């Protein structure tokens, strides 16, 4: 295991940010930590890279207990924080050079690494402009480039794509995939369920400081729901009548008068709807079940509902 979090609790005064959390990240995977704001994701990451001490429990990274080995652990990992940490008056190239020296690179080795990262994160067209003049997307690329300086075995990304436009998100996902193919382990948090489903081998859904479900996205869909989601406009009474006629009690989720019913085989339900057994046949949609459906049914909240 690259990361082992064992029975960890973190309190801030009365507030329990992380509650008896156990989490293991094997080598070479992309692991996604999901959950609403305040779930404890950032606090968990901070304990893993050693800037926050657990109140109780143990955190091990690369097989080492983190707190007595912070320097050794940090040499082998890279972190991109929720907020970019960049020197805004300087260019990306200068930011990279400064950070490279911090990692004890110099001379031709430093220059080569800086150019490699400029290419890898596609920063060349903006490499010499002041950071303050760059768009959020380019600033994010630079923040990720900085975290890659020391060729980390473990890359930690806290909401790497929040607020970025779709093209920049796609570009970033593709870089994360490249790094994984080179053997790095990636631990990220995200608000975007589609991102987690496309990028992560394993996801853990966090709520109130603990994990409520963990597995491959497809596994979670299979375990908690089913392959297809049938969405229709139906009152609770209409939904009840429909399911009674079907003689089944599949998992479902309701949002106002929109009912989502999860089934591996939606044909019998669609036939019932067509026969008019409750529900409004005109507004029926059948779609693949998404990770977001699992999140909704397990936590009863939409990520976007949280402040
Ligand atoms: N330094 C701190 N002092 C007090 N409370 C904190 C501190 N850091 C985080 N918290 C609280 O801990 C909880 C978890 O926060 P955080 O780990 O940032 O969640 P997330 O990253 O999932 O949004 C929140 O209730 C937050 O207000
Ligand atoms: Mg956070």
């Amino acid at each position: 295991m690259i990361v082992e979090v064992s029975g960890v609790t973190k309190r801030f005064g009365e507030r329990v940010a992380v509650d008896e959390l156990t989490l293991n990240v094997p080598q070479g995977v992309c692991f996604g930590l999901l959950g609403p704001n305040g779930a404890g994701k950032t606090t968990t990451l901070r304990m893993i890279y050693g800037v926050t001490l657990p109140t109780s429990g143990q955190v091990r990274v690369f097989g080492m207990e983190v707190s007595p080995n912070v320097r050794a652990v940090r040499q082998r990992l890279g972190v991109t924080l929720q907020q970019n940490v960049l020197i805004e008056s300087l260019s990306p190239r200068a930011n990279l050079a400064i950070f490279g020296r911090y990692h004890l690179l110099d001379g031709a080795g430093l220059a080569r690494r800086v150019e490699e990262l400029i290419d890898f994160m596609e920063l060349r067209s903006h490499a010499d402009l002041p950071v303050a003049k760059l768009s959020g997307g380019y600033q994010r690329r630079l923040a990720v480039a900085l975290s890659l300086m020391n060729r980390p075995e473990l890359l930690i990304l806290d909401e790497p794509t929040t607020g970025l436009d779709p093209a920049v998100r796609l570009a970033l996902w593709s870089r994360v995939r490249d790094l994984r193919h080179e053997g790095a382990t990636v631990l990220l948090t995200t608000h975007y369920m589609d991102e987690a489903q496309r990028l992560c081998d394993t996801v853990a859904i966090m709520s109130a400081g603990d994990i409520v479900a963990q597995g491959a996205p497809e596994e979670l869909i299979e375990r908690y729901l089913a392959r297809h989601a049938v969405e229709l406009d139906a009152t609770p009474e209409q939904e009840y009548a429909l399911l009674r006629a079907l003689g089944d009690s599949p998992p479902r989720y309701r949002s106002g008068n929109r009912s989502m019913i999860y089934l591996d085989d939606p044909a019998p339900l669609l036939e019932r709807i067509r026969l008019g057994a409750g529900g409004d046949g005109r507004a029926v949609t059948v779609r693949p079940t998404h990770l977001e459906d699992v999140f909704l049914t397990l936590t009863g909240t939409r990520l976007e509902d949280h402040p």
Side-chain angles (χ1 to χ4, degrees), residues 41-52:
K41 303 179 299 295
T42 296
T43 304
T44 300
L45 296 184
R46 287 169 62 86
M47 292 190 286
I48 290 169
Y49 62 82
V51 291
T52 297

Side-chain angles (χ1 to χ4, degrees), residues 127-150:
D128 295 308
L129 296 172
V131 166
K133 293 241 155 71
L134 302 184
S135 65
Y138 275 100
Q139 293 192 2
R140 206 63 184 152
R141 287 177 201 214
L142 174 59
V144 175
L146 290 169
S147 69
L148 297 176
M149 182 62 71
N150 57 336

Side-chain angles (χ1 to χ4, degrees), residues 115-122 148 175 178-179 182:
E115 298 311 308
E116 276 172 11
L117 289 169
I118 285 173
D119 282 334
F120 183 69
M121 291 311 295
E122 296 170 11
L148 297 176
R175 293 288 83 94
D178 291 345
L179 290 165
E182 289 165 19

Side-chain angles (χ1 to χ4, degrees), residues 93 96 110-120 124 127:
R93 188 173 263 122
L96 284 161
L110 174 63
R112 200 177 327 117
R113 188 66 186 139
V114 167
E115 298 311 308
E116 276 172 11
L117 289 169
I118 285 173
D119 282 334
F120 183 69
R124 189 155 297 282

Side-chain angles (χ1 to χ4, degrees), residues 37-38 40-43 82 158-159 189 191:
N37 286 328
K41 303 179 299 295
T42 296
T43 304
Q82 223 169 316
D158 198 358
E159 294 190 25
T189 69
H191 278 293

Side-chain angles (χ1 to χ4, degrees), residues 148-183:
L148 297 176
M149 182 62 71
N150 57 336
R151 303 178 191 279
E153 294 160 62
L154 170 65
L155 181 62
I156 294 175
L157 303 168
D158 198 358
E159 294 190 25
T161 58
T162 297
L164 299 185
D165 70 52
V168 179
R169 288 174 68 201
L170 275 175
L172 209 62
W173 296 352
S174 138
R175 293 288 83 94
V176 168
R177 285 202 194 89
D178 291 345
L179 290 165
R180 267 204 51 218
H181 290 140
E182 289 165 19

Side-chain angles (χ1 to χ4, degrees), residues 56-301:
S56 61
Q58 203 183 46
V59 183
R60 298 175 77 83
V61 178
F62 308 123
M64 294 179 274
E65 196 184 330
V66 173
S67 53
N69 298 291
V70 171
R71 280 181 66 88
V73 167
R74 291 239 188 107
Q75 271 168 12
R76 294 166 62 185
L77 60 74
V79 181
T80 301
L81 303 177
Q82 223 169 316
Q83 303 290 330
N84 294 329
V85 184
L86 304 170
I87 306 171
E88 299 220 329
S89 58
L90 298 181
S91 67
R93 188 173 263 122
N95 272 270
L96 284 161
I98 289 169
F99 202 61
R101 282 189 207 100
Y102 167 80
H103 277 296
L104 306 178
L105 295 172
D106 61 10
L110 174 63
R112 200 177 327 117
R113 188 66 186 139
V114 167
E115 298 311 308
E116 276 172 11
L117 289 169
I118 285 173
D119 282 334
F120 183 69
M121 291 311 295
E122 296 170 11
L123 281 160
R124 189 155 297 282
S125 57
H126 293 65
D128 295 308
L129 296 172
V131 166
K133 293 241 155 71
L134 302 184
S135 65
Y138 275 100
Q139 293 192 2
R140 206 63 184 152
R141 287 177 201 214
L142 174 59
V144 175
L146 290 169
S147 69
L148 297 176
M149 182 62 71
N150 57 336
R151 303 178 191 279
E153 294 160 62
L154 170 65
L155 181 62
I156 294 175
L157 303 168
D158 198 358
E159 294 190 25
T161 58
T162 297
L164 299 185
D165 70 52
V168 179
R169 288 174 68 201
L170 275 175
L172 209 62
W173 296 352
S174 138
R175 293 288 83 94
V176 168
R177 285 202 194 89
D178 291 345
L179 290 165
R180 267 204 51 218
H181 290 140
E182 289 165 19
T185 304
V186 180
L187 173 57
L188 62 84
T189 69
T190 181
H191 278 293
Y192 301 113
M193 293 284 160
D194 61 326
E195 173 165 297
Q197 192 167 354
R198 288 167 74 165
L199 206 53
C200 298
D201 308 284
T202 305
V203 297
I205 297 177
M206 271 188 96
S207 173
D210 201 4
I211 290 174
V212 293
Q214 181 181 323
E218 297 306 319
E219 260 170 44
L220 292 181
I221 287 169
E222 227 171 86
R223 191 187 316 156
Y224 293 101
L225 301 176
R227 272 178 295 135
H228 301 283
V230 179
E231 282 195 24
L232 70 157
D233 289 335
T235 63
E237 295 73 28
Q238 287 171 323
E239 180 188 277
Y240 178 78
L242 191 58
L243 293 175
R244 200 179 43 185
L246 192 68
D248 195 2
S249 180
R252 55 198 178 273
Y253 181 79
R254 164 169 292 281
S255 178
N257 261 351
R258 195 73 177 156
S259 170
M260 279 158 257
I261 302 173
Y262 302 99
L263 295 156
D264 281 327
D265 177 12
L269 176 67
L270 294 174
E271 181 63 12
R272 282 284 156 200
I273 295 169
R274 202 181 59 78
L275 293 174
D280 179 349
R282 286 168 305 175
V284 178
T285 310
V286 185
R287 58 168 176 83
T289 304
H290 307 303
L291 193 56
E292 178 139 12
D293 295 289
V294 178
F295 185 88
L296 289 174
T297 46
L298 286 183
T299 67
T301 52

